[in-house]
Amino acid sequence: MNYQNTQEAYLRPVINIGVRHHLRARDTRELMGGLVMKAVGKVALVLLPLVLTINMVLASAVHDIERSFTAVDNQRHESMDKNIELLAHRARFLAPDNIQQLAGQKLALFAASGDQVERFN
């Protein structure tokens, strides 16, 4: 039991709850949150490399897919250009003047002129 002498001035003891008090009482190797922070740190130490590895794998896969889309798109444009070129060649070959010229060169067929006979019995 504590007895207080009434003739002397009494001051209640006050606990210092400042930041310096907490830092002085702590070990320098100890984290700020105590055991909870240690557990969180260990989990982060295990999960962070795993998450970074997964991120790198996914980024690589996305990059490969984008590269393949670009290659397919370039091939599609080349095919469209070739198709336009082939359609132009076909149109030139099927032109009536070109058909008459090729028939005259390859088969010796010529269109009848006005003074030639066009019908045969």
Side-chain angles (χ1 to χ4, degrees):
M1 256 191 186
N2 289 336
Y3 290 103
Q4 301 288 331
N5 189 355
T6 59
Q7 295 176 346
E8 295 179 19
Y10 172 71
L11 295 175
R12 290 180 16 190
V14 178
I15 299 174
N16 188 4
I17 308 180
V19 174
R20 291 182 184 179
H21 174 74
H22 286 293
L23 291 178
R24 269 189 245 134
R26 243 173 241 261
D27 186 16
T28 57
R29 295 172 290 160
E30 193 174 328
L31 292 175
M32 294 295 277
L35 294 176
V36 174
M37 286 301 288
K38 284 183 183 180
V40 169
K42 287 179 183 178
V43 169
L45 190 63
V46 171
L47 289 181
L48 188 63
L50 180 67
V51 169
L52 290 177
T53 303
I54 291 171
N55 185 20
M56 286 175 36
V57 168
L58 290 177
S60 174
V62 167
H63 181 68
D64 291 342
I65 290 172
E66 287 177 357
R67 195 173 358 156
S68 66
F69 279 155
T70 304
V72 168
D73 194 37
N74 289 340
Q75 188 177 11
R76 184 180 64 88
H77 282 293
E78 289 174 4
S79 297
M80 286 174 47
D81 291 343
K82 189 171 183 177
N83 187 29
I84 290 170
E85 184 180 333
L86 291 174
L87 288 174
H89 282 296
R90 181 175 183 251
R92 279 195 303 263
F93 286 140
L94 294 179
D97 295 335
N98 191 28
I99 291 175
Q100 286 180 359
Q101 182 184 6
L102 287 175
Q105 290 174 355
K106 303 281 182 179
L107 304 174
L109 295 176
F110 296 99
S113 60
D115 58 345
Q116 293 176 337
V117 178
E118 295 184 13
R119 288 190 213 167
F120 293 102
N121 288 333

